[in-house]
Amino acid sequence: SLIKNKGNPMQISSASSSYRLNPNLADNSVVCLMAPTASGKTALAYELYDTGRYELISVDSALIYRDMNIGTAKPTAAELARYPHYLVDIIDPMQSYSVAEFVNDVAHLIDSCHERGKIPLLVGGTMMYYMALIDGLSPVPDSDDDVRARVEQWRQDEGLGALYDYLGKIDPISHERLNATDTQRITRAVEVYLQTNIPISDWQQKPKHALAHNPNQQWHALAVMPERSWLHQRIEQRLDIMWHDGLVAEVIRLLEQYPLTPNLPSMRCVGYRQVLEYLVHIKHPIFKQPHLDKAQFYDAFLEVEAASASKRPQDTTTQALDQPLTLSAQTEALACQQMQNKALYATRQLAKRQYTWLRKLTQLPNLPDNASNTAIKLNENDDKLMRGNIKIKTFATMTQVREYLY
């Protein structure tokens, strides 16, 4: 149990008695443990939970989905019972969960944690969520269900290119900024315009409001940017575990259980996307299930297969996706290896984007002029204060974070 001694650091009893929690963390603190995938966030979060001072809030856009366990590196049921996480297993893979919904949920969770005398520890690798919490969200309205359905039908009937062309007419700024294959953002931009008659780029220029600007809370944004080669080894090890634990079988079970489509946010998660492509490539019989639209899956990966085929010599052992299944064991093994290679590459690219987001977070406006260059090495004088109540700090290892928090 925790023993509060006025004027002294927090002391932990029993097995944790050697740890002295940092007295600079006030009771109204909010701690964000921000780091790329496979960097060791979870282990440190468990250790901090065991001190009795923290409650865990997941900041991970993949852990929100039920039944997606292996490919998301979700804590086991036993771990979640021992170390409860908020915002894990909250929706089905068929459902969507907006950044605005996340921010709203976190606002309530932070208040409830503080009411119980706990410090909320936000832990995860979805940097867009952290950016929304710390830098704020533009007041873009949520899409109406009817409008979303209309735009999705339009996309299915005429293709994503039609939406992208329309976006060029009604919102040239967003059209220029977005990649022509970015289904999620293009459809969202079209939805916003059809619903409000205002381009999403105009909405995004409006003043932001961030939870971290709350003057009654002290935010600690702890950004961990480990050495790249070390992280790449960790990523490869994690993926090896996922393949061994049955990620392919998990995706097949998801397809059996839910009427999924390839453009759902859940099916765009790294790992799951590559398994879907593999199952299409080998013409897995799962797509014969009556609740699945086989054509959608095949169409989604035809361009990928065509682009890949154009870059390699003619291979007589492989066939077009619309031909009868005559894949040899050798060809299927090759497809499996390609899936694993693509998943490894995609995960490394994810980590690269996470580093970019972390640098962006630590260089937000209104920092002191001397904070423009982010130091990765731990430096006691490296605190960055923003808007008075947000302390941003950078680290190279989880060990340094641990030392900072104890």
Side-chain angles (χ1 to χ4, degrees):
S1 61
L2 292 176
I3 303 174
K4 291 187 178 181
N5 297 312
K6 191 173 182 179
N8 294 322
M10 300 286 283
Q11 182 97 19
I12 307 302
S13 65
S14 68
S16 302
S17 60
S18 62
Y19 300 152
R20 297 173 67 82
L21 290 179
N22 190 330
N24 295 322
L25 289 182
D27 289 342
N28 68 340
S29 293
V30 178
V31 178
C32 299
L33 182 54
M34 311 182 298
T37 185
S39 57
K41 299 181 295 292
T42 301
L44 179 57
Y46 289 175
E47 182 180 340
L48 292 170
Y49 180 88
D50 279 337
T51 67
R53 198 178 184 193
Y54 295 88
E55 292 189 359
L56 307 181
I57 300 175
S58 172
V59 185
D60 191 310
S61 61
L63 294 184
I64 60 176
Y65 297 111
R66 302 184 191 100
D67 300 315
M68 292 176 59
N69 304 323
I70 297 173
T72 61
K74 186 180 294 177
T76 65
E79 288 175 317
L80 289 173
R82 175 68 182 85
Y83 302 100
H85 288 60
Y86 296 108
L87 304 185
V88 171
D89 288 339
I90 60 173
I91 63 173
D92 290 335
M94 291 293 301
Q95 298 174 288
S96 60
Y97 185 67
S98 70
V99 178
E101 289 175 300
F102 167 80
V103 171
N104 184 63
D105 287 343
V106 169
H108 292 296
L109 288 169
I110 289 173
D111 288 342
S112 62
C113 287
H114 284 159
E115 288 172 1
R116 289 187 291 273
K118 305 290 186 178
I119 293 177
L121 175 63
L122 280 64
V123 57
T126 301
M127 302 305 163
M128 181 172 61
Y129 282 178
Y130 284 121
M131 185 65 79
L133 295 171
I134 295 170
D135 189 42
L137 276 179
S138 301
V140 185
D142 290 336
S143 296
D144 178 84
D145 288 343
D146 291 339
V147 173
R148 184 182 292 117
R150 284 170 49 203
V151 173
E152 174 59 19
Q153 189 62 53
W154 185 3
R155 187 194 65 78
Q156 291 185 27
D157 291 344
E158 300 184 32
L160 182 62
L163 298 185
Y164 190 63
D165 291 343
Y166 177 71
L167 186 63
K169 298 175 183 177
I170 54 98
D171 189 353
I173 294 175
S174 294
H175 182 268
E176 177 69 22
R177 180 174 55 86
L178 296 179
N179 189 298
T181 60
D182 193 337
T183 303
Q184 190 168 348
R185 289 182 174 85
I186 292 171
T187 54
R188 171 69 169 143
V190 172
E191 289 167 4
V192 169
Y193 183 80
L194 292 179
Q195 184 170 321
T196 67
N197 208 35
I198 299 173
I200 195 170
S201 57
D202 287 357
W203 283 105
Q204 292 167 342
Q205 295 302 313
K206 296 180 183 293
K208 297 179 179 179
H209 173 72
L211 288 187
H213 300 172
N214 186 339
N216 297 317
Q217 297 171 357
Q218 176 63 61
W219 282 62
H220 299 263
L222 313 181
V224 186
M225 290 181 274
E227 201 273 327
R228 294 288 183 98
S229 61
W230 175 86
L231 186 66
H232 285 179
Q233 290 179 355
R234 297 262 302 185
I235 288 171
E236 190 166 358
Q237 291 167 1
R238 173 177 282 187
L239 277 170
D240 285 343
I241 293 172
M242 289 179 180
W243 301 127
H244 180 269
D245 288 350
L247 176 55
V248 174
E250 177 174 86
V251 175
I252 293 172
R253 286 195 299 271
L254 289 169
L255 291 167
E256 290 174 341
Q257 185 174 353
Y258 298 99
L260 298 170
T261 63
N263 291 313
L264 285 168
S266 62
M267 292 297 99
R268 291 188 169 277
C269 291
V270 170
Y272 293 88
R273 193 70 180 172
Q274 288 72 39
V275 174
L276 281 180
E277 182 182 352
Y278 162 71
L279 294 175
V280 167
H281 185 80
I282 67 170
K283 298 182 179 296
H284 195 281
I286 186 64
F287 297 110
K288 295 180 180 179
Q289 293 280 344
H291 63 273
L292 297 176
D293 187 338
K294 178 180 178 180
Q296 279 198 50
F297 285 95
Y298 277 49
D299 289 346
F301 296 107
L302 273 173
E303 290 185 8
V304 174
E305 172 63 16
S308 177
S310 67
K311 296 178 183 178
R312 63 175 180 251
Q314 185 66 32
D315 183 356
T316 58
T317 65
T318 60
Q319 297 182 340
L321 291 175
D322 58 351
Q323 296 299 312
L325 175 58
T326 58
L327 290 175
S328 67
Q330 181 180 3
T331 302
E332 187 166 339
L334 176 62
C336 182
Q337 185 59 56
Q338 289 175 338
M339 169 192 68
Q340 294 181 14
N341 292 342
K342 288 180 179 181
L344 177 59
Y345 175 78
T347 309
R348 287 177 174 173
Q349 289 298 108
L350 169 63
K352 182 179 179 180
R353 292 192 299 273
Q354 289 171 322
Y355 276 101
T356 300
W357 276 100
L358 282 169
R359 285 192 292 269
K360 187 176 181 181
L361 278 161
T362 56
Q363 296 173 346
L364 287 170
N366 298 336
L367 294 177
D369 292 339
N370 61 4
S372 59
N373 294 321
T374 303
I376 295 180
K377 292 183 179 179
L378 178 64
N379 183 333
E380 290 303 324
N381 298 317
D382 190 36
D383 290 345
K384 299 174 176 59
L385 299 176
M386 179 177 67
R387 302 186 180 103
N389 66 322
I390 308 173
K391 181 178 290 187
I392 299 178
K393 227 176 148 53
T394 58
F395 303 86
T397 68
M398 289 294 166
T399 299
Q400 293 172 345
V401 180
R402 184 185 179 281
E403 292 171 352
Y404 175 75
L405 290 173
Y406 282 107

